[in-house]
Amino acid sequence: MDALYTAVATATHGRDGRAVTSDGKLDLGLSAPVELGGNGEGTNPEQLFAAGYAACFGSALGLVGRAAKVDVSEAAVTAEVGIGKHGEGFALAVTLRVELPDAVDQETGRKLVEQAHQVCPYSNATRGNIPVELVIE
């Protein structure tokens, strides 16, 4: 693959540190969520992953919608990223909740969401690695 863009971010001190992008546009404190024993005062990696996946999937949905001449510009995507024990380590699971405009019928909406799941780079990266559930609301 020839990269069209490369994002660069550096994190220090793991979940209790700081994450900064190379351009300085993102600079935030990190902390583990209370559920994982942290103080929950900062952002955690699962939140960052959820935000990125939701935004990327929304863009993929827009792309396939435009190709199908279906207006999904008012769609909203919510990504729920769960983390849990997996053997000796941890694993992730994702639920993508897609709220489509009322004008999009259920069959068309399902088709577009499934096509977006084939186009989205996050979906392609996670496919076969973690469970991703698609929910149309």
Side-chain angles (χ1 to χ4, degrees):
M1 174 198 78
D2 291 327
L4 300 174
Y5 168 76
T6 300
V8 179
T10 302
T12 55
H13 304 287
R15 289 180 175 273
D16 294 314
R18 184 152 217 86
V20 181
T21 56
S22 60
D23 62 6
K25 291 181 181 178
L26 178 80
D27 183 348
L28 51 86
L30 302 172
S31 66
V34 173
E35 296 83 353
L36 295 180
N39 64 21
E41 292 179 6
T43 302
N44 63 65
E46 293 72 36
Q47 290 171 317
L48 295 170
F49 187 75
Y53 203 161
C56 190
F57 197 88
S59 290
L61 183 61
L63 178 74
V64 299
R66 285 187 300 279
K69 298 190 180 351
V70 177
D71 184 6
V72 291
S73 61
E74 296 301 315
V77 179
T78 301
E80 300 170 0
V81 176
I83 184 171
K85 292 290 271 175
H86 181 74
E88 296 297 316
F90 293 87
L92 301 175
V94 175
T95 299
L96 293 175
R97 297 188 184 280
V98 182
E99 185 178 340
L100 294 167
D102 292 338
V104 178
D105 67 82
Q106 187 174 3
E107 182 179 330
T108 301
R110 168 61 61 188
K111 180 179 172 186
L112 292 174
V113 167
E114 289 174 358
Q115 288 174 341
H117 193 45
Q118 297 304 309
V119 171
C120 175
Y122 277 70
S123 293
N124 288 330
T126 59
R127 188 171 292 109
N129 296 311
I130 65 171
V132 176
E133 179 184 7
L134 302 174
V135 177
I136 299 174
E137 300 182 327

